[in-house]
Amino acid sequence: MKKEILNSTTGILLVENGMESDEEIRRVPEIGGEASAAPAAGREPGSLTRLDRPQPSGEGGQRKRGRSPADKENKRLKRLLRNRVSAQQARERKKAYLNELETRVRDLEKKNSELEERLSTLHNENQMLRQIVKNTTASRRGGNGSSNAADGTL
């Protein structure tokens, strides 16, 4: 399977071939860490991108309130990747669940047809036994002359 990923901070299109393991799918790569080191080597020494620029420090080394746009973008991209992974896992769970349900339906339909066939056989057997009992009772009454033939009891 060929997978293309566009890194929006560096603008580099990554292409991967092959299947990914579950562990690779769940792992969210650090954006701006290892991935940004490789593109930096291909740039001119004097050029700085948004991630490479040194952050201005305030007096006493205090940090500015809020996050830098690069941090916000990194956080957003990580969240998007986690959401994609989660959505893919949900689709896979749903597919497995539906396959399980379809298998169960086939098994239950097979069992139902077997039970219907058995019911039909037992119904036919019951009718035959009733007929035998009826014929046997009628022949005993006919040769016997019993008064039970008039009321229809056995």
Side-chain angles (χ1 to χ4, degrees):
M1 176 167 80
K2 185 176 179 182
K3 184 176 180 182
E4 296 180 355
I5 303 171
L6 178 63
N7 187 334
S8 66
T9 57
T10 61
I12 296 176
L13 183 64
L14 302 174
V15 179
E16 298 177 2
N17 290 323
M19 297 296 291
E20 298 169 327
S21 69
D22 289 341
E23 187 174 308
E24 289 172 336
I25 289 173
R26 288 184 186 91
R27 183 178 40 130
V28 177
E30 287 295 324
I31 298 172
E34 297 172 12
S36 66
R43 279 183 286 195
E44 294 179 20
S47 68
L48 294 177
T49 63
R50 187 170 51 164
L51 295 176
D52 297 328
R53 288 187 196 125
Q55 296 295 325
S57 59
E59 291 181 15
Q62 290 181 345
R63 185 174 169 167
K64 288 193 323 184
R65 284 197 137 175
R67 296 176 181 256
S68 70
D71 287 344
K72 288 180 181 178
E73 182 68 12
N74 287 343
K75 186 175 180 181
R76 185 184 74 83
L77 290 173
K78 284 180 74 171
R79 179 178 40 84
L80 287 175
L81 285 173
R82 282 194 309 266
N83 287 349
R84 283 186 192 150
V85 168
S86 179
Q88 181 63 35
Q89 290 171 344
R91 285 190 292 270
E92 289 171 359
R93 282 193 306 269
K94 181 179 179 181
K95 186 176 180 180
Y97 176 70
L98 287 176
N99 287 338
E100 180 183 327
L101 284 180
E102 288 170 353
T103 301
R104 188 171 176 209
V105 165
R106 281 192 299 273
D107 292 344
L108 290 174
E109 285 175 344
K110 181 180 177 183
K111 185 175 182 178
N112 190 33
S113 65
E114 290 171 358
L115 289 173
E116 285 176 344
E117 186 178 324
R118 180 159 165 77
L119 175 65
S120 176
T121 302
L122 290 173
H123 182 70
N124 290 339
E125 184 179 344
N126 191 16
Q127 291 297 326
M128 287 176 19
L129 290 173
R130 285 178 183 265
Q131 189 64 37
I132 290 171
V133 168
K134 184 178 177 182
N135 290 342
T136 305
T137 306
S139 66
R140 284 189 184 169
R141 288 186 193 147
N144 215 342
S146 173
S147 64
N148 287 344
D151 62 19
T153 59
L154 294 177

